[in-house]
């Protein structure tokens, strides 16, 4: 039996010294000068090759310092099958370097289609360790993902409260029963994620976690109370305006149960366009980790 | 300037005699015996090859009879980059046969990531004619899709009310202002989809449509009133239990503005496993089209 995802993730965070995750959003226009200069033509193949070199460089730069990475699947799918080929290679390379991989695909469908996404993106050695999913279709949209994750020691993070300004339009609407829409989704995630004993790891956390942005003051604390056994995947710190207090509210009383992500601030630091971009990214990853460790009083 | 998607779709529905769409969900276990028998080994490549032959056969079987097809992206992503390569080939083949292609990807993300999905799945000749999207992240999650669609004469269908039983868990929750959550999403879609004059085609329909299942009696009619300028993409007829009345409620007073989809009932008819599966699929497509035409009194 595969070890439970939540236990694997919590241990990796302990080993590396802080619960942090580096987002991988390869965008051609942002790559270091060195890589951009070597692009031979305007073809997708040339672009994907440069992105692949950058991804490999980022993985090597951060692997000794952080427990996991989160590739943004949209950046790869943009380049069609060649981009997806790079994506699946990247998952292998990251794992080989000892990193956990959270595929940021925000997939969501029903029945058989949800099972196909789970099979393609999570299953077996080709699959990532975890996947972000969208809960708008309800519990029977999430269940096929949850069942495969349980069978294979993989994890999921359902979108509950996103960090973008427009997230409020739907997620903060008030229901007649007094809850916000985002809270109702959180309740659904908590109920499903704790509905079977084997969905919970030895540390008490569920394989079904929640995406909760760090940019909505007050919300994270309330959601923490509604989802005591969900690991929170937390975007929005730094670049998107999330503060130390916002981040702290995502953790439980033991300062556990959340994973803070940073993408652009770590992988595209101001000094990384020219010169030794590997070193600049390592330094940015260490600084990010230090900031989160300090917020947690470590 | 590219012709507006809504006008292209409405004209194609007129040309073919009914507003119907055939869903393409290639699943290895369901393929005709002839194709399964020819699979040389258990590799993904062999599976994808058989799926490709089936997809091509289905396209040829339905192209003269229906205006569009809807590939389910999960079925392709299941087979990693090789599956996605088949998906993008399929889009080309379908277009070459004169079919409109609605990519059923249910993608949803924010800002740059949404723009990457739009660039990968909708843009240019490699892109589909339209894409299904998830609105849970709010208007700023949809806008990058809408902007690219407007620039390129492409379309979108946002999930509003899905056909699965579990869709009620979130979509039918009652808000304090009296709306259901699905209605609030519908209002958001209607407002965004009509916010710029060029988002509307000459026929008055928006490039941003809505997915509204035919399995929730009463809901479609209410949503039709809230979204008078959205084209409804309607799953759930037949196999999932949607009735003629459910379907009728998705159309406007002129019996226009909706596109009814069927997948398994057309592409996996009972008699298609053995013998002439092309002919069986053509017959099933014609029967489906006839049923919808009859419901509309044509």
């Amino acid at each position: 039996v595969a070890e439970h995802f939540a236990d694997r993730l919590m241990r990796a965070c302990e080993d590396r010294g802080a619960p942090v995750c580096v987002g991988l959003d390869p965008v051609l226009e942002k790559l270091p000068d060195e890589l951009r200069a070597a692009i031979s033509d305007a073809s997708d193949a040339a672009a994907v090759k440069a992105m692949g070199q950058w991804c490999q460089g980022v993985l090597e730069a951060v692997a000794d310092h952080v427990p996991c990475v989160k590739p943004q699947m949209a950046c790869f799918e943009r380049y069609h099958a060649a981009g997806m080929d790079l994506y699946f290679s990247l998952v292998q390379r990251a794992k080989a370097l000892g990193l956990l991989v959270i595929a940021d695909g925000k997939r969501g469908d029903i029945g058989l289609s949800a099972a196909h996404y789970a099979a393609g993106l999570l299953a077996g050695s080709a699959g990532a360790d975890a996947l972000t999913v969208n809960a708008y279709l309800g519990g029977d949209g999430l269940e096929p993902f949850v069942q495969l994750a349980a069978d294979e020691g993989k994890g999921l993070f359902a979108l509950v409260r996103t960090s973008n300004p427009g997230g409020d339009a739907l997620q903060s609407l008030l229901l007649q029963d007094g809850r916000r829409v985002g809270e109702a989704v959180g309740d659904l995630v908590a109920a499903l994620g704790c509905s079977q004993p084997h969905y919970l790891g030895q540390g008490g956390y569920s394989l079904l976690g929640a995406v909760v942005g760090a940019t909505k003051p007050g919300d994270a604390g309330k959601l923490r109370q509604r989802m005591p056994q969900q690991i929170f995947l937390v975007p929005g710190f730094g670049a998107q305006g999330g503060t130390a207090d916002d981040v702290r509210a995502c953790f439980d009383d033991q300062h556990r149960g959340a994973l803070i992500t940073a993408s652009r601030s770590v992988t595209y630091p101001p000094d990384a366009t020219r010169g030794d971009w590997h070193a600049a990214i390592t330094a940015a990853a260490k600084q990010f980790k230090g900031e989160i460790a300090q917020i947690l009083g470590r």
Side-chain angles (χ1 to χ4, degrees), chain A:
Chain A
V1 179
E3 188 186 0
H4 192 280
F5 169 73
D7 294 330
R8 284 199 289 143
L9 177 61
M10 290 295 114
R11 196 182 65 240
C13 291
E14 291 291 325
D15 286 351
R16 291 294 197 280
V20 293
C21 175
V22 171
L24 282 167
D25 299 31
V27 176
L28 200 61
E29 296 73 23
K30 291 184 179 179
L31 298 188
D33 291 351
E34 172 196 329
L35 294 177
R36 295 184 62 199
I39 295 174
S40 55
D41 56 55
S43 68
D44 279 7
V48 169
K49 185 180 170 194
M51 283 168 47
Q53 292 169 326
W54 181 81
C55 288
Q56 179 70 21
V58 174
L59 293 180
E60 291 169 356
V62 307
D64 290 342
H65 308 288
V66 304
C68 58
V69 291
K70 179 176 73 65
Q72 165 54 258
M73 293 189 65
C75 296
F76 299 87
E77 200 163 89
R78 175 177 192 151
Y79 292 96
H80 308 130
M84 293 306 288
D85 195 44
L86 173 59
Y87 164 77
F88 286 103
S89 306
L90 171 69
V91 171
Q92 297 309 307
R93 295 181 203 169
K95 287 178 171 181
L97 289 165
L99 290 158
L100 292 175
V101 181
I102 300 172
D104 196 359
K106 301 184 175 65
R107 297 299 191 255
D109 213 301
I110 58 175
L112 257 180
S113 300
H116 288 313
Y117 277 128
L121 300 177
L122 274 184
S125 61
D129 296 290
L131 175 68
T132 58
V133 292
N134 190 311
Y136 187 68
L137 293 103
D140 56 1
L142 294 179
E143 273 161 21
F145 288 104
V146 169
Q147 284 169 19
L148 185 136
D151 288 345
E152 304 220 4
K154 302 292 177 82
L156 299 160
F157 294 95
L159 299 180
V160 169
R161 192 73 176 100
T162 60
S163 58
N164 58 313
D168 293 358
L170 178 60
Q171 298 160 28
S172 74
L173 292 178
L174 196 58
L175 295 170
Q176 232 169 36
D177 62 17
R179 297 179 297 172
R180 304 278 173 182
V181 167
E183 292 174 329
V185 176
D187 290 349
L188 191 155
V189 167
L192 174 59
C194 303
S195 61
Q196 299 280 342
H198 66 292
Y199 291 174
L200 303 173
Q202 295 190 345
Y205 295 110
S206 170
L207 57 84
L208 176 61
V211 176
V212 176
T215 57
K216 312 286 179 179
D219 280 13
K222 287 183 198 162
L223 290 168
R224 186 74 270 173
Q225 291 184 324
R226 303 186 91 95
M227 293 186 279
Q229 295 183 282
Q230 264 59 49
I231 297 174
F232 283 13
L233 178 66
V234 183
F237 175 65
Q240 290 181 57
T243 67
D245 280 343
D246 296 330
V247 164
R248 223 174 270 119
C250 292
F251 289 86
D252 59 23
D253 294 346
Q254 278 79 49
H255 292 236
R256 286 164 57 91
L259 182 67
I260 315 299
T261 77
S263 302
R264 288 166 289 168
S265 62
V266 169
T267 60
Y268 300 115
D271 53 343
T273 314
R274 295 165 185 281
D276 188 349
W277 54 277
H278 297 82
I281 291 170
T282 297
K286 290 170 76 172
Q287 188 190 327
F288 167 49
K289 182 168 81 166
E291 286 169 5
I292 300 303
Q294 188 173 30
I295 287 173
L296 295 174
R298 292 183 188 167

